[in-house]
Amino acid sequence: MSAGEWAGLIAALALVLLVVLLAVPLLKLGRTLDETTLTIRQVREQSQPILGQAQTTIAQVNSNLERVDDITGNAANVSSNVAALTSVVAATVGSPLIKVAAFSYGVRSATRKRREGQAIAEAAARDKTARRERRAARRAA
């Protein structure tokens, strides 16, 4: 064999060695892609029931939210009706109650002052009687 043939044989062996070395990672990459494909398929199969259940749950939540919205609207109506009723009662009953309270306060004040006046008058009468008795006792002595 000539030198050129030897060089060609070495180059061919180097190329075969390079192909073998590249084939190993390519085979591993192929297995990884197969596993990834299998995993994606399993995830898709398992996620479909979950998504169906989530859709059912969301529909139920929406119906419940509609009911809550109705309840909230009714509560707002009741609240405004109670506020209106309160203002009507305050306007109807409030003024007479204030007048009655003021009248009763005036009666109590007048009664208290009258009692105080009677007590002062009785004390003045006692003092006058006591002074007269003292004068009479001095004159008699």
Side-chain angles (χ1 to χ4, degrees):
M1 285 210 219
S2 69
E5 290 176 349
W6 279 104
L9 183 63
I10 292 175
L13 286 176
L15 186 62
V16 168
L17 182 63
L18 180 65
V19 168
V20 169
L21 288 176
L22 288 176
V24 173
L26 284 174
L27 290 174
K28 287 183 181 180
L29 182 62
R31 284 190 218 132
T32 303
L33 287 175
D34 290 340
E35 289 293 323
T36 304
T37 304
L38 181 63
T39 303
I40 289 172
R41 186 177 300 129
Q42 289 174 349
V43 166
R44 185 180 60 209
E45 289 171 357
Q46 292 174 358
S47 66
Q48 284 177 348
I50 292 172
L51 291 175
Q53 290 173 354
Q55 188 175 15
T56 305
T57 302
I58 289 172
Q60 289 174 351
V61 167
N62 283 337
S63 67
N64 286 337
L65 284 177
E66 288 174 5
R67 281 192 235 147
V68 168
D69 188 36
D70 291 342
I71 291 169
T72 305
N74 292 337
N77 288 338
V78 168
S79 174
S80 64
N81 291 341
V82 167
L85 182 64
T86 302
S87 64
V88 167
V89 168
T92 304
V93 177
S95 179
L97 283 178
I98 291 172
K99 289 178 183 177
V100 167
F103 178 74
S104 66
Y105 176 74
V107 169
R108 282 191 316 237
S109 296
T111 305
R112 184 173 24 103
K113 287 180 182 178
R114 184 172 179 202
R115 286 182 192 156
E116 290 173 357
Q118 286 177 349
I120 291 173
E122 289 173 2
R126 277 183 295 194
D127 288 345
K128 190 175 184 181
T129 306
R131 274 187 264 139
R132 283 185 185 164
E133 289 176 359
R134 276 184 270 159
R135 280 188 209 151
R138 274 190 238 153
R139 285 186 196 155

